[in-house]
Amino acid sequence: MKELLLLVRETIVRAFEIATFRSVGADLPNARGFAMAVSVLSAAFVAGEQLARGHGIAGMIIIPAVWLFVIWTVSRVEGQIDYRIASALLLGSIPVCVILVLVAGSEPMEWIVSAWGAVVMLNVLAKQHKQWM
């Protein structure tokens, strides 16, 4: 149980490091299992954000599916999925989704947080070749 709590704590710390530009996830494992677990977690947060914004069940199903498709597509390097990049992108999205839930209903704040999320994702993608290749 102690190891599970440590894993959860470290995952949260890594997510906020990526979202605050202190890391691009170079220390994340390049493991499919970890990337899949983070995918489920990120999809749950995206679905929760859709619920907070008042979208129906269709939005809670379609938007996370599209989100995961985009992440898995942009995390390809030379035709192969780089699980480290995917994990970094997915972890970076979690704090953004949490903030979007908190500011739901305020259009200007939602745009600001969405722009921040886009910059976080672009930061990870721009630095992938310098630190991972």
Side-chain angles (χ1 to χ4, degrees):
M1 186 67 169
K2 186 177 180 180
E3 292 83 12
L4 180 62
L5 292 175
L6 183 62
L7 177 64
V8 169
R9 184 185 72 110
E10 287 300 315
T11 302
I12 292 169
V13 167
R14 295 292 182 264
F16 279 95
E17 284 178 349
I18 292 168
T20 56
F21 307 105
R22 290 182 282 167
S23 171
V24 291
D27 56 348
L28 293 174
N30 193 14
R32 182 178 184 182
F34 181 75
M36 295 305 282
V38 174
S39 292
V40 171
L41 188 62
S42 178
F45 275 94
V46 171
E49 183 257 328
Q50 293 301 310
L51 179 65
R53 294 178 67 207
H55 295 200
I57 297 296
M60 290 178 56
I61 295 170
I62 294 170
I63 300 300
V66 170
W67 171 245
L68 292 177
F69 174 77
V70 169
I71 293 298
W72 290 109
T73 302
V74 300
S75 63
R76 290 185 173 273
V77 175
E78 296 178 3
Q80 299 288 336
I81 294 175
D82 188 324
Y83 295 111
R84 185 174 292 135
I85 295 170
S87 297
L89 292 170
L90 291 162
L91 278 176
S93 72
I94 292 172
V96 174
C97 286
V98 169
I99 302 298
L100 279 171
V101 167
L102 294 174
V103 300
S106 172
E107 288 288 324
M109 291 302 293
E110 286 181 6
W111 279 102
I112 292 169
V113 174
S114 297
W116 166 53
V119 172
V120 168
M121 300 304 132
L122 290 173
N123 181 49
V124 170
L125 289 172
K127 292 184 179 178
Q128 74 179 343
H129 296 292
K130 294 178 184 174
Q131 295 190 3
W132 294 333
M133 298 300 171

